Amino acid sequence: MKRLILLIFLLLAPTALAQLASGAVPEQVADEAVQAWLDKEPLNLFSLSNLPPEELCQELPTLLQSPAPPAGTRINIADRVELASDDDSLRRYSYPAALPGEQLEVVEVSLRQEGDGWVVERVGFRLDDIAPSIPGVLQQPVAAWGFIVLNLYLLYLLIRPSFFRRWLASGWQEIRNHRGTVIGTIIALYALFGLGVLSGASLPESCASAVSSYLDTALSELGATEAYGSGNIARAAVVTTYQNFVMGAVFTSFGPAVILGVPAYLFNGLRFYAVGIPFGFLQGVGPASLLFILILIIVELLAYILVTAGGGMLLVTIVKEGLQAYRKGLRKLIYMLPIAFLLLVIGAWYEAVVIILPSLFAGG
């Protein structure tokens, strides 16, 4: 169980974030941070998994925030280059690096000024070539207004006979035709989520800080923190919908489900277990907050479940009718996407309203 929990955290861990050094001279702090990062021993999963739970939890923040580079990585610290920054309290430096096999990379260090000194905010490989999870345009006012217009149009399509209503009806019919597959998927994935909750609840309290650190960093990197902190409900809703539908339902559920369904069950089984772990640390939650969480879990996770079940429909169709029925099964899977989209749009508005609205009233 410890190996599985550790592996899940490592698979989901964001890029390095750690205060590996501090001092008054930013260039010296950056050099020391790079050297300290380079000197770290690469992760030994099996030795860590044999640690007692308390010691393992103490190691998790370091593993989540600053994983060691691959063994044999070389960095030319003397060839430091200062990068442009619009923030006077932020300094960024880059260093050329070579991975094993002579693969060239660039290491970046970000420093934040605190008082009279500088501390390391990030050290790790440059991520410029990796597309951000949430496009910057979705953080703009035009995206929020566009999302409102889209939702009004969606409401119009739901009220009157339309292609969208036909898609929903077709999807509902497939759910009824494959009710056994759908019910089995619901039970299996919610059970894995519950197992994750129980696993989180059984871990030492020291793990709560590691989990909190991971969630805060992940949400910040996604852009969710910025969106929800803006106080703009529509902006938060569009960001949440994009992340949950495009990245969650389409790329990581529908994509694997196309491959005869099985990969979607494996990936979402792991995801549901991992998502459940932080909920195991919830203590002293009031009835209102607990109700909010339960509704959100039911609505948003159900969208992923239905797409996963669509992969099960695809597999069942092929098993019964042969490979020539692949297109027929794929159509059943595709019909799950409109239902998932509707659920996630509802969930996004609900989440944004419940989180932002109280803070707006409190601020007023």
Side-chain angles (χ1 to χ4, degrees):
M1 182 64 71
K2 287 189 298 178
R3 280 199 181 98
L4 181 58
I5 293 171
L6 178 60
L7 182 57
I8 288 171
F9 276 119
L10 295 177
L11 287 173
L12 300 179
T15 313
L17 281 168
Q19 292 187 2
L20 299 178
S22 61
V25 182
E27 292 80 5
Q28 182 179 348
V29 173
D31 291 350
E32 291 176 356
V34 170
Q35 187 61 58
W37 182 68
L38 185 61
D39 291 341
K40 292 177 62 176
E41 291 292 330
L43 174 65
N44 186 330
L45 179 62
F46 294 101
S47 63
L48 285 171
S49 64
N50 290 324
L51 291 175
E54 292 78 8
E55 295 183 26
L56 176 59
C57 291
Q58 291 175 2
E59 294 291 337
L60 278 177
T62 301
L63 297 175
L64 293 172
Q65 296 172 347
S66 185
T73 299
R74 304 191 311 276
I75 301 176
N76 187 354
I77 296 180
D79 198 7
R80 178 186 63 245
V81 175
E82 183 171 357
L83 304 176
S85 175
D86 296 331
D87 188 347
D88 292 338
S89 65
L90 180 68
R91 295 283 180 88
R92 298 169 55 238
Y93 301 92
S94 68
Y95 301 79
L99 274 62
E102 300 306 316
Q103 177 184 348
L104 300 181
E105 286 286 353
V106 176
V107 173
E108 282 194 7
V109 180
S110 297
L111 308 180
R112 174 71 62 179
Q113 189 173 25
E114 291 188 2
D116 296 331
W118 297 83
V119 297
V120 178
E121 262 198 348
R122 176 186 181 273
V123 54
F125 294 112
R126 175 178 289 175
L127 302 177
D128 289 350
D129 296 332
I130 299 178
S133 296
I134 297 177
V137 67
L138 295 183
Q139 302 280 12
Q140 302 302 316
V142 64
W145 284 109
F147 188 64
I148 293 174
V149 172
L150 174 63
N151 277 261
L152 291 175
Y153 178 61
L154 190 63
L155 183 60
Y156 170 75
L157 293 178
L158 291 172
I159 293 174
R160 64 179 298 276
S162 64
F163 67 91
F164 191 70
R165 281 181 57 172
R166 290 193 296 272
W167 288 351
L168 295 177
S170 298
W172 177 246
Q173 185 59 48
E174 295 301 342
I175 291 174
R176 294 185 55 168
N177 293 340
H178 293 268
R179 60 174 62 89
T181 299
V182 174
I183 293 174
T185 305
I186 290 174
I187 293 174
L189 291 183
Y190 274 131
L192 286 170
F193 175 82
L195 182 61
V197 174
L198 292 176
S199 298
S202 66
L203 291 175
E205 187 63 30
S206 55
C207 280
S209 61
V211 174
S212 176
S213 174
Y214 160 68
L215 291 176
D216 289 344
T217 302
L219 290 174
S220 178
E221 290 187 349
L222 288 174
T225 301
E226 181 183 354
Y228 278 83
S230 69
N232 187 321
I233 293 176
R235 175 182 173 182
V238 70
V239 165
T240 302
T241 300
Y242 174 86
Q243 182 63 28
N244 288 347
F245 180 71
V246 176
M247 304 305 298
V250 176
F251 282 113
T252 60
S253 294
F254 178 82
V258 169
I259 311 173
L260 303 183
V262 176
Y265 279 89
L266 296 176
F267 183 87
N268 277 328
L270 181 65
R271 170 159 57 189
F272 274 53
Y273 179 81
V275 168
I277 291 176
F279 288 94
F281 292 103
L282 294 178
Q283 296 180 358
V285 177
S289 298
L290 183 60
L291 179 62
F292 157 68
I293 293 171
L294 289 176
I295 293 175
L296 197 60
I297 289 173
I298 292 172
V299 173
E300 294 192 348
L301 294 189
L302 183 59
Y304 299 145
I305 289 174
L306 291 179
V307 178
T308 305
M313 298 177 195
L314 169 63
L315 181 60
V316 168
T317 301
I318 291 176
V319 169
K320 290 183 176 180
E321 304 179 30
L323 284 174
Q324 67 273 12
Y326 179 83
R327 292 180 62 182
K328 178 180 179 181
L330 180 61
R331 187 164 55 250
K332 298 177 181 181
L333 169 59
I334 292 174
Y335 279 139
M336 297 301 106
L337 287 178
I339 301 177
F341 177 71
L342 182 60
L343 287 171
L344 292 175
V345 167
I346 294 172
W349 280 110
Y350 172 74
E351 184 175 355
V353 168
V354 173
I355 291 177
I356 294 178
L357 205 57
S359 64
L360 293 179
F361 282 122

